[in-house]
Amino acid sequence: MSGPAGDRPGAAETPILGALRGHRVYARRWVFLLVLSLLSCSNATLWLSFAPVADRIVQYFHLSTEQINWLSLVYLAVSIPFGVVAIWVLDFVGLRWATILCAWLNFAGSVIRSLYCMDIGTQDPFAFLMGGQSLCALAQTLVIFSPAKLAALWFPEHQRATANMIGTMSNPLGILVANLLSPALVKKEEDIPLMLGIYIIPAGLACLLATACLWESVPPTPPSAGAACSTSEKFLDGLKLLVRNKAYVILAVCFGGGIGIFSSFSALLEQVLCVKGYSNVSQLQGQTVALAVICSLFGLFGFSVAPVAMELAVECSFPVGEGAAAGLIFVLGQAEGVLIMVLLTALTVRRAEPSFSTCQDGQGPLDWKVSVLLMAGLCTLFTCFLVFFFHTPYRRLEAEASASPSIQEDVCPAVEDHTPHLAAMPEALPWDPTTPSTDAAGSSGAAHS
């Protein structure tokens, strides 16, 4: 196995090899990644901003607990029909316009949610809250699986996993921020308008950056052989290939189930804990250490597998487009999330015995024992099924290896012999993005001449 890039012979010449193959990376790829990450983080905070303070939201807006649950559940419900449309939009209009559209939907949704608090004369707060959440849910379908496509189109082989990880992990980071920030901002019911206003700020910043700083969907020169043939399959043909791919179907069902379980757990956590006498979630009492450790481990392992699963989805389904490969898993995960969340809430019963409940919804506390046991059983089932039955070759890496030597591999002796001549003639390399790229043979000939 090859060592780190800096330890391998000829590692310093890998940019030259990339140029010889017509591949190049651009610094502005990090700007694109920053915008996408901020947008995904903002969207996640908007999704779960109500859940950690559900009891106070119920009292302030005079809503039922079921209505509050639907403010989170709408993300899952909207993403099922519109997720497939978003896959097509991402491939048809390109990554740039899809990101800009997503940013404006996200910003508009964050503003609409707060309109009721501006004394505009309406008597139906749920309409504004649900309308804003629905727009944010539409935005989520465009941003949640974009990191895999961005990594494939803009980043070289040795940076793809890192870029995908950063973009994917920004979404759970937003979930963490929402679970910490909402209880910190809402000490009493009158603080809810402030909370809604605070969440508009990152949404507006992401919208501004997306509109002003994103110039193109793809770089002028691809960063790798895989990027050169990205989205080589037509949309419908790609979907047909995915549903016929056994390894992909297993990954989609199992990881999609994980997405559904985590989404349900995040949305219902406050309602589960308040029954046992805990306040809004970041201020635990009693079993502080046990709850913190369990939730931390659940998040650590759940979040860690997300970028890996997205990379596996692209690898096992190549040459299907990255948007379709990652997007279909997300859509299936949201569908499973709707079923799981509805089932978990349906299995609860009102507690008859006295309790230490701190729930402030004005109703008797619920017993979540059966629901939590079901969730644990589903986690075990999906995990075991994936471990025992998921097997796949890395098709994208194999295609890139057959197309040209990987920039992560050791430099071949023949190329090493040519590098002194290439260093003496930098004008032979296609550094100017406006200049058509030359193939390896042509560049070598220019170097020898």
Side-chain angles (χ1 to χ4, degrees), residues 145-203:
F145 46 81
S146 294
K149 192 171 187 69
L150 175 66
L153 292 177
W154 282 88
F155 287 83
E157 296 172 29
H158 63 287
Q159 292 180 349
R160 277 199 305 243
T162 301
N164 197 1
M165 181 271 296
I166 294 173
T168 302
M169 293 302 289
S170 60
N171 187 266
L173 175 62
I175 295 175
L176 173 63
V177 170
N179 278 285
L180 295 177
L181 187 58
S182 289
L185 291 174
V186 182
K187 301 297 184 182
K188 52 187 183 297
E189 296 172 25
E190 292 75 15
D191 296 331
I192 289 176
L194 172 64
M195 180 195 76
L196 295 176
I198 292 294
Y199 283 122
I200 295 176
I201 297 175

Side-chain angles (χ1 to χ4, degrees), residues 23-194:
H23 304 155
R24 183 190 170 187
V25 294
Y26 299 83
R28 58 184 180 273
R29 69 191 186 277
W30 297 108
V31 177
F32 211 139
L33 180 60
L34 172 65
V35 173
L36 196 64
S37 299
L38 177 60
L39 180 56
S40 182
C41 182
S42 168
N43 186 263
T45 60
L46 292 171
W47 170 40
L48 282 183
S49 56
F50 297 123
V53 289
D55 50 353
R56 300 193 186 277
I57 297 291
V58 166
Q59 290 187 324
Y60 183 80
F61 291 111
H62 305 289
L63 303 175
S64 66
T65 303
E66 289 73 20
Q67 287 176 307
I68 298 301
N69 287 339
W70 270 104
L71 294 179
S72 299
L73 193 60
V74 66
Y75 264 66
L76 283 67
V78 167
S79 64
I80 297 171
F82 289 98
V84 178
V85 177
I87 296 172
W88 175 82
V89 169
L90 196 62
D91 286 338
F92 183 76
V93 306
L95 192 58
R96 177 197 176 218
W97 286 110
T99 304
I100 292 175
L101 175 61
C102 171
W104 279 99
L105 286 172
N106 192 61
F107 176 60
S110 69
V111 173
I112 291 175
R113 299 188 330 158
S114 64
L115 289 181
Y116 176 79
C117 301
M118 299 180 182
D119 296 328
I120 60 175
T122 181
Q123 299 297 321
D124 188 6
F126 185 70
F128 284 91
L129 297 176
M130 181 59 77
Q133 288 292 93
S134 298
L135 288 182
C136 295
L138 286 174
Q140 187 197 41
T141 62
L142 292 168
V143 73
I144 196 68
F145 46 81
S146 294
K149 192 171 187 69
L150 175 66
L153 292 177
W154 282 88
F155 287 83
E157 296 172 29
H158 63 287
Q159 292 180 349
R160 277 199 305 243
T162 301
N164 197 1
M165 181 271 296
I166 294 173
T168 302
M169 293 302 289
S170 60
N171 187 266
L173 175 62
I175 295 175
L176 173 63
V177 170
N179 278 285
L180 295 177
L181 187 58
S182 289
L185 291 174
V186 182
K187 301 297 184 182
K188 52 187 183 297
E189 296 172 25
E190 292 75 15
D191 296 331
I192 289 176
L194 172 64

Side-chain angles (χ1 to χ4, degrees), residues 258-272:
I259 293 175
I261 291 172
F262 188 84
S263 299
S264 302
F265 180 78
S266 302
L268 298 173
L269 181 59
E270 189 271 344
Q271 298 173 50
V272 174

